[in-house]
Amino acid sequence: MFRNIASRLKRKARVNPDQASFLELTSQLQNLKLDLEEKSQAIQRLSETIERLRLEGSIRAQENADAQMEALGVSIATPLSQLLTQLDMIENQGKTIPQEDVFALVKKLIKGLLAHGFEVPGSIGQNTVYNPALHAPLSGTTPIALGQPVKIRFVGVHYKNKALRKALVEPLSKDQP
C-alpha cells in the first residue's frame, strides 16, 4: 500500500502544454516585474543623488561668489569710505577738499578693482580700429564701420574678458593723426 502511494507521489503531475507555457510566461512576468522595481528604485536613488550634488554645487558656487565679492569689498572699502566722507564734507559741511586727495582715493579704488579681475583696455585718446564687440559710437548719429580708425573718448570696462561697458569712440577724421 505504501508502495502504491509512493509511486503515485513519484509520478509527475501531468501538465498540458498550454498550462506549461502559461506558467513559464507568468514566471517571466514576475521576474520582469521584480527587475522593473529594482530599476525604478535605482533610478530614484540616482535622481536623489543628482539633486543632492546639484544643490551642493550651487551652494559651493554661491560661497565662492560671496568670497570673491568679500575680497573685492575688502580691497575697496577704505577708499570708498574715505570718498563718502569727503563727499559728505563737501555737500553737507561746506568744506573743500583738495582735488589731489580725491584723485588719490579714486586711484586706490581703481587699483582695487583691477586687482580683482576688472580691466580697462585702451586709454583715453588712443587710436584704434573699431570693433563693435569692444566699442560703441560716441554719437548715435555717426555710423562707424568695422575696422574703421577711431579714437577712444571714454574707456570701456571689462571683467574676465567680457565687456561690461564698451569704450565710447569717435571716427578719426582724415586730418587727425
Side-chain angles (χ1 to χ4, degrees), residues 17 19 49 68 76 78 123:
Q19 282 181 318
T49 300
Q68 289 177 352
I76 65 171
T78 299
S123 59

Side-chain angles (χ1 to χ4, degrees), residues 117 119 134 158-163:
E119 300 169 344
L134 304 174
H158 296 197
Y159 182 71
K160 295 189 177 183
N161 296 320
K162 181 180 180 183

Side-chain angles (χ1 to χ4, degrees), residues 56-87:
E56 288 172 3
S58 177
I59 289 169
R60 261 187 257 118
Q62 185 61 50
E63 288 171 349
N64 286 340
D66 290 346
Q68 289 177 352
M69 286 302 294
E70 184 177 342
L72 173 62
V74 166
S75 71
I76 65 171
T78 299
L80 181 60
S81 175
Q82 291 171 343
L83 274 174
L84 292 170
T85 300
Q86 288 178 350
L87 182 62

Side-chain angles (χ1 to χ4, degrees), residues 13-14 19 38-40 42 46 71 77 122:
R14 293 187 180 208
Q19 282 181 318
E38 287 175 11
K39 303 289 188 225
S40 294
L46 289 172

